[in-house]
Amino acid sequence: MLHLRLITPADRTDAVVRLIEKTVGTTHLVVMPGAARNPSGDVVMCDVAREAGDELISALQELGLDVSGSIAVENIDLSLSKRAEKAEKEAPGEAADAVLWEHLTDATHEESTLSITYLAFITLATMIAACGVVLDNAILIVGAMAVGPEFGPLAGISTSVVQRRPRLALRSLIALLVGFAVAMAVTVLFSLFMDSLGLFTEAQLEADRPQTGFVYAPDAFSFVVAVLAGAAGTLSLTSAKSGALVGVAISVTTVPAAANAAVALSYGDTNQTVGSTEQLLLNLLGIILAGTLTLLAQKWLWSTQRRRQSNAA
């Protein structure tokens, strides 16, 4: 269930209340006239089944409530109410299949912001991965994959394509490109520093690396895994199962490939630099492609399901 807290201008409250009452899957409607001060107006609250949430939010936006008032949405972790159970049963579709498009857009917008924190995470992840590739340590590689924040901008690009949000696409693309550029540049310096201390050597990079050699040897499986991970990651975002993102993060070789390219560049190894860069681009392409197709499929399936249920009613 979702909890909606609305601030409505007094002259639109009746229209908002009628909209909520006629939306299947809503319950626990509360109206507090004159309770809002900034902006001034009435406060309207209700609970709505997740599968009916996107329709209701879109209708509230059509009333201009996002401009003249406020629409706040929260997830309800626990609701002990027979009315809530009835509302969920009456709402069409399954909650796990429903996509809250505005929530997805907002979440990917936040995750694809080029901030100091984002740059710090992707840079630290790349440096950890650099230690992993030089030491041929799979544990460090997995740790770097989990730390890397690059899935946010990738999901932002996919969302922007489906939702036709060019600004989000540009924002996500800038975060992705600048993030990896800064991370790789800093990792080159980090590699040179570690070499000066005798902790990194070219011999370690050029040696057989059974645990990490795959990061500069892209093949068909690299693309296949990226596509599967992109689909899984997108589903985890749209279904609010964020825990699955950890599995997605450690299944693709974006950050390790960037790290290997940076270390190889510091030693002038063109072959590994090119191979790692190809691995990186292949994974990024696979994730974006899979994410976009997954969102398009979800949008089509959900609209088809709603249309069938409306015709049956």
Side-chain angles (χ1 to χ4, degrees), residues 7 64 70 91 95 109 114 133 143 147 158 180 196 200 211 219 221 234 252 254 256-257 272 282 288 307:
I7 296 178
S70 170
H109 181 278
L114 185 61
V133 296
V147 172
S158 296
F180 272 114
S196 68
F200 282 10
Q211 299 294 322
D219 55 19
F221 280 104
T234 303
V252 291
T254 48
Q272 285 201 38
L282 197 62
I288 293 172
R307 188 163 53 249

Side-chain angles (χ1 to χ4, degrees), residues 103-156:
H103 178 269
L104 178 63
T105 301
D106 183 70
T108 52
H109 181 278
E110 181 180 350
E111 293 296 324
S112 60
T113 300
L114 185 61
S115 62
I116 298 298
T117 301
Y118 171 82
L119 289 175
F121 269 116
I122 196 168
T123 300
L124 290 170
T126 307
M127 290 193 291
I128 293 172
C131 296
V133 296
V134 172
L135 298 175
D136 193 33
N137 189 315
I139 295 177
L140 291 177
I141 292 294
V142 171
M145 290 176 174
V147 172
E150 73 279 5
F151 191 80
L154 293 170

Side-chain angles (χ1 to χ4, degrees), residues 62-73:
E62 290 176 4
L63 289 176
L65 208 60
D66 55 329
V67 177
S68 59
S70 170
I71 304 173
V73 184

Side-chain angles (χ1 to χ4, degrees), residues 74-270:
E74 300 173 337
N75 280 305
I76 300 177
D77 295 326
L78 177 63
S79 179
L80 302 178
S81 167
K82 291 295 182 181
R83 289 182 177 271
E85 292 178 7
K86 183 174 181 291
E88 288 186 315
K89 290 179 181 178
E90 291 176 346
E94 296 294 333
D97 297 332
V99 179
L100 298 176
W101 291 102
E102 286 300 324
H103 178 269
L104 178 63
T105 301
D106 183 70
T108 52
H109 181 278
E110 181 180 350
E111 293 296 324
S112 60
T113 300
L114 185 61
S115 62
I116 298 298
T117 301
Y118 171 82
L119 289 175
F121 269 116
I122 196 168
T123 300
L124 290 170
T126 307
M127 290 193 291
I128 293 172
C131 296
V133 296
V134 172
L135 298 175
D136 193 33
N137 189 315
I139 295 177
L140 291 177
I141 292 294
V142 171
M145 290 176 174
V147 172
E150 73 279 5
F151 191 80
L154 293 170
I157 293 174
S158 296
T159 303
S160 66
V161 172
V162 176
Q163 291 292 87
R164 299 178 182 177
R165 302 280 183 98
R167 289 186 178 180
L168 177 59
L170 180 60
R171 186 188 192 96
S172 301
L173 186 61
I174 290 174
L176 193 67
L177 296 180
V178 174
F180 272 114
V182 170
M184 292 174 71
V186 173
T187 303
V188 169
L189 299 177
F190 174 71
S191 177
L192 294 173
F193 173 72
M194 295 292 280
D195 180 80
S196 68
L197 296 179
L199 298 176
F200 282 10
T201 66
E202 187 173 2
Q204 288 175 300
L205 182 70
E206 301 297 338
D208 289 336
R209 289 187 278 142
Q211 299 294 322
T212 61
F214 65 92
V215 299
Y216 62 89
D219 55 19
F221 280 104
S222 300
F223 186 73
V224 170
V225 171
V227 167
L228 296 175
T234 303
L235 286 173
S236 74
L237 285 177
T238 58
S239 62
K241 297 183 182 298
S242 58
L245 278 176
V246 177
V248 173
I250 62 176
S251 61
V252 291
T253 54
T254 48
V255 167
N260 198 84
V263 176
L265 184 62
S266 70
Y267 285 115
D269 188 332
T270 304

Side-chain angles (χ1 to χ4, degrees), residues 1-8 12-23 25-33 42-49 56 60 65 76 79 81 83-84 87:
M1 293 288 289
L2 302 172
H3 177 69
L4 270 62
R5 186 183 71 252
L6 314 173
I7 296 178
T8 72
R12 298 189 188 180
T13 300
D14 289 341
V16 170
V17 171
R18 285 195 299 270
L19 173 62
I20 293 172
E21 288 178 335
K22 75 176 185 180
T23 300
T26 59
T27 187
H28 302 154
L29 176 61
V30 177
V31 180
M32 296 185 288
D42 304 331
V43 174
V44 179
M45 295 184 289
C46 71
D47 295 341
V48 58
L56 178 57
L60 290 170
L65 208 60
I76 300 177
S79 179
S81 167
R83 289 182 177 271

